[in-house]
Every structure is written in C-alpha cells, then in structure tokens.
C-alpha cells in the first residue's frame, strides 16, 4: 500500500490489488478459523487483540465495495484513503499480541493511569496560568489572542519550540523562560 502512494509505483494497480486481496484473505481466514474453534465466542469478541484482528480482516469487504483496485489520487475518496493509509497500521497492530513486553507496557500504563488525571489537571492549570501571563505581558501585535498565547505555551511546555510565535518584550521572555524551566521539571516527574 505504501508503494501505491508514490508518484511512480513499481507495482501496477492490478498487481497491488491482487497482493492486497491475498493478504486480506489470509487475515480473514485466520481470524475466522480462530473464531470458529474458540471455546467461548463471547470472550473471543471481548478480547481487544481479537477486535484488532477483526478490524484487520474487514478491509476484504471494503476492498470488494471499492472495486478491488484502489487509488489515492482522489482526495474525496475516503474508502481509498482508509484502505491505503490505515489498513497497514491495523496489520501491524496484529503483531502486538506476540510481544510480552507490550503486555508489561500496558500494565505500566494502567498503574500510571491512577496518577494521570491529577498530573493532567496540574498541566492544564499551568497551561492556562502561563498563557494568561504571556497574553498580558506581550503586545497585541505579537500575541493577538489568548488562543495564540495558549499555542505558544503548549509549544514551549512540550519543548517543541516551532518559532512561529516568540515573545518580544522583556517581561514575555522572562515568563517564557520560567515556563521552559518549570515545564521541563514537570515533565521529569515520574508518574508511578
């Protein structure tokens, strides 16, 4: 599918369609067989990995609806974009069940999830506070609105620093400097 998005594709559309249909057929067959032989089908449908497998097998039906050969040239064709851009992600997600380390990562996310709401609340309080300070300190021709001040605050807090909006006044530079240091320290706080 990635090759089909290039200007010059090494695969013809019919070859790519045949390859995609073959892969989709294998995924559909594998998921269907596992569903048929699974002892408790209700639990099978509730497992997140099996839902990913169903989603990875669904493009077979969608590809039949699209006429098998899909092109990304038409920007209005949502089905073609889904099949060419998002289906490869679903196929990669099928592999997740094979990694034990991923299960450890999920467990760590569940444990950190208890502290996450408090951390997000503090983050948004800091965001609003520093956005208000920046909006107050900067001239209206530099930071035109509170939403633009929030954009500058988010870009600074995440240490991206796009540079599209920068402080011009001395007070604004001091506020952004304090924001940079405090947000860097904040990001270093462990959740667990």
């Amino acid at each position: 599918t990635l090759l089909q998005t290039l200007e010059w594709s090494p695969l013809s559309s019919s070859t790519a369609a045949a390859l995609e249909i073959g892969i989709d057929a294998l995924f559909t067959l594998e998921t269907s067989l596992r569903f048929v032989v699974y002892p408790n089908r209700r639990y099978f449908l509730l497992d997140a990995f099996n839902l990913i497998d169903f989603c990875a097998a669904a493009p077979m039906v969608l590809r039949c609806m699209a006429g098998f050969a899909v092109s990304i040239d038409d920007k209005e064709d949502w089905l073609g974009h889904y099949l060419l851009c998002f289906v490869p992600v679903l196929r990669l997600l099928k592999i997740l069940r094979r990694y034990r380390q991923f299960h450890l990562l999920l467990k760590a996310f569940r444990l950190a999830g208890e502290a996450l709401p408090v951390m997000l609340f503090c983050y948004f309080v800091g965001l609003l506070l520093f956005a208000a300070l920046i909006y107050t300190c900067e001239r209206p021709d530099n930071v035109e609105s509170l939403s633009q001040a929030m954009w500058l605050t988010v870009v600074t807090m995440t240490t991206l620093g796009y540079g599209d909006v920068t402080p011009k006044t001395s007070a604004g530079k001091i506020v952004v400097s304090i924001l940079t240091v405090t947000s860097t320290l904040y990001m270093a706080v462990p959740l667990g």
Side-chain angles (χ1 to χ4, degrees):
T1 55
L2 175 65
L3 297 175
Q4 290 174 272
T5 62
L6 300 174
E7 287 182 33
W8 177 85
S9 177
L11 297 174
S12 67
S13 62
S14 59
T15 305
L19 186 64
E20 293 289 333
I21 291 168
I23 292 170
D24 288 343
L26 284 173
F27 284 161
T28 305
L29 179 67
E30 184 246 349
T31 305
S32 301
L33 287 175
R34 281 193 304 110
F35 178 73
V36 168
V37 299
Y38 201 80
N40 190 337
R41 292 191 179 116
R42 193 166 113 217
Y43 288 122
F44 183 85
L45 293 174
L46 294 176
D47 184 14
F49 292 113
N50 292 331
L51 291 176
I52 291 171
D53 290 348
F54 274 119
C55 291
M60 181 71 171
V61 176
L62 297 174
R63 205 170 293 283
C64 293
M65 289 172 41
F68 298 105
V70 178
S71 172
I72 200 163
D73 296 332
D74 184 14
K75 292 287 186 187
E76 300 297 319
D77 182 21
W78 65 269
L79 186 58
H81 279 277
Y82 172 76
L83 290 172
L84 289 175
C85 299
F86 294 108
V87 169
V89 176
L90 291 172
R91 289 177 181 162
L92 284 175
L93 286 176
K94 281 181 65 71
I95 300 171
L96 282 180
R97 78 170 62 234
R98 307 289 181 235
Y99 291 108
R100 287 188 201 150
Q101 293 84 357
F102 182 72
H103 297 285
L104 290 173
L105 184 64
L106 285 179
K107 185 177 179 182
F109 278 134
R110 271 188 239 112
L111 291 173
E114 295 173 8
L116 193 60
V118 174
M119 297 297 286
L120 285 174
F121 176 76
C122 293
Y123 184 84
F124 286 119
V125 167
L127 170 74
L128 291 173
L129 173 69
F130 279 99
L133 288 172
I134 290 170
Y135 184 66
T136 305
C137 292
E138 284 298 308
R139 293 188 299 267
D141 61 331
N142 185 31
V143 178
E144 299 169 357
S145 64
L146 186 59
S147 62
Q148 193 173 22
M150 289 177 75
W151 169 251
L152 173 59
T153 306
V154 168
V155 168
T156 304
M157 287 178 86
T158 56
T159 66
L160 288 173
Y162 286 124
D164 55 345
V165 181
T166 56
K168 302 284 189 240
T169 63
S170 296
K173 289 179 182 180
I174 291 170
V175 168
V176 171
S177 297
I178 293 169
L179 171 63
T180 303
V181 171
T182 57
S183 61
T184 304
L185 293 173
Y186 178 80
M187 294 295 184
V189 173
L191 282 177

